[in-house]
Amino acid sequence: MRKSSIVVCAYHNVGYRCLQELIRQGAEISLVFTHDDSPSEEIWFSSVRELAAAHHIPVVTSEINYKENIALLREIAPDFLLSFYYRNMIRSEVLDIPKRGALNLHGSYLPKYRGRVPVNWAVINGETETGATLHYMVEKPDAGDIVDQEKVPIDFTDTAYDVFNKVTDAAVKVLARAYPQLVAGTAARIPMDLAQGSYFGGRRPEDGRIDWEKSAVEIYNLIRGVTHPYPGAFTHLGATRFLIWKARPVEGKGEPGQIVSLAPLRVGTGDGLLEILVLQKDGDAERDAAAFANQLKVGQLFSAKQ
C-alpha cells in the first residue's frame, strides 16, 4: 500500500517530538514548515529545523500562507497536512489542499482552552487537568472534529513549564495512536461541542502584572503560570519593579500588597497571604527572599502600578 504523503507545520518541543514520532513511524514527509527563532525570545526548546535537516527533509521558514508556498503545496498535493505548535493561523485556502485532511495537535483537552497559550491559561486559572487533542482544522481556530485526545493532571505545585512537558508527552501518545488510524482511514471524527468549551487569546509580558486584591491562591497561580521560562509575574514597590519567580499561598491576613513579615517574606492579598520565595529587582539577579531582608520593611506596599 502506498504511503500517505505529509506536509508538516511544526515548532517548539511539541513540534519537535511529534515530527520525531512521524519519522519513527516511517511517515513520508515531503516538506516541513517551521519558524525562524526570534532574537527577543528565550529559546529553551528543541529545533524542528535541525531535526528535519538531520533526516534530509526540506524545510521552509517563510509563512505557509504566502502565495509561493500555497503554489508549492499544490504541486506536492499531500494526503495530510499536520500542524504541531505552528504559530501562524493557517488559511482555509491552505486547509483545502491536502486530499485527506488538515489536522492540528492542540495543547488542551478540547473544547476547553481553545486559542493561544492554553497551558499557561490552564495553570493561571487553577485547573487540575488539561490535555492534548488531535483535531481536524477548519477556518475557526481549534474547532474541527476531534480524532483523539489524552488528559494530563495539573498538580498544585506544577509550573506552566511542568505542565507543558506533560502535555508534550501526551501529544506524542495521541499521535502515536492516531496516525496509523488516519492512514488506514479508521480514525474517529467526533464533532466538537464548542458550547462546552472556552476560548482564550495570547498573553503578553504585561499580563504578568500582579493584582494584590486577588486571593493568594489566584496570585500564586499567576506566578507559576508565567514563571521561567516565561517572562514572569511582576509588581512595583514605589518606582522599582520586582519580578516574583516563586511563591506559595499561606493562611493569614494583611492589607493587599502590604509586607506583613520579612522572615519569611509574606505579603497581604485579597484573601490570605503570599509567601514570596524567589524574586528579582529590575536590573539585578534573582535571589531568595531572605536576601532582601535588609532592603524591605514591614508595612511597605507592593502595587500593581509604580
Side-chain angles (χ1 to χ4, degrees), residues 265-286:
L265 177 55
R266 290 179 173 176
V267 181
T269 73
D271 182 12
L273 299 176
L274 186 76
E275 183 174 323
I276 299 173
L277 303 173
V278 179
L279 70 163
Q280 180 179 9
K281 186 188 293 188
D282 252 2
D284 202 353
E286 63 182 85

Side-chain angles (χ1 to χ4, degrees), residues 213-226:
E213 296 287 342
K214 291 188 174 181
S215 72
V217 170
E218 288 175 300
I219 297 170
Y220 165 71
N221 288 339
L222 171 65
I223 291 166
R224 68 192 180 105
V226 297

Side-chain angles (χ1 to χ4, degrees), residues 52-114:
H55 290 271
H56 311 289
I57 303 168
V59 175
V60 174
T61 58
S62 57
E63 188 176 331
I64 192 172
N65 298 309
Y66 287 172
K67 183 178 179 180
E68 62 270 25
N69 289 334
I70 293 174
L72 178 59
L73 284 169
R74 288 190 172 130
E75 183 180 333
I76 294 171
D79 292 292
F80 293 103
L81 175 69
L82 300 179
S83 177
F84 313 120
Y85 217 81
Y86 190 69
R87 290 180 169 179
N88 298 123
M89 286 291 297
I90 301 175
R91 286 163 35 185
S92 56
E93 182 181 5
V94 176
L95 301 181
D96 290 339
I97 294 173
K99 296 183 284 256
R100 300 183 64 187
L103 297 97
N104 175 58
L105 235 167
H106 185 71
S108 79
Y109 201 81
L110 291 173
K112 290 186 175 181
Y113 292 94
R114 295 169 52 239

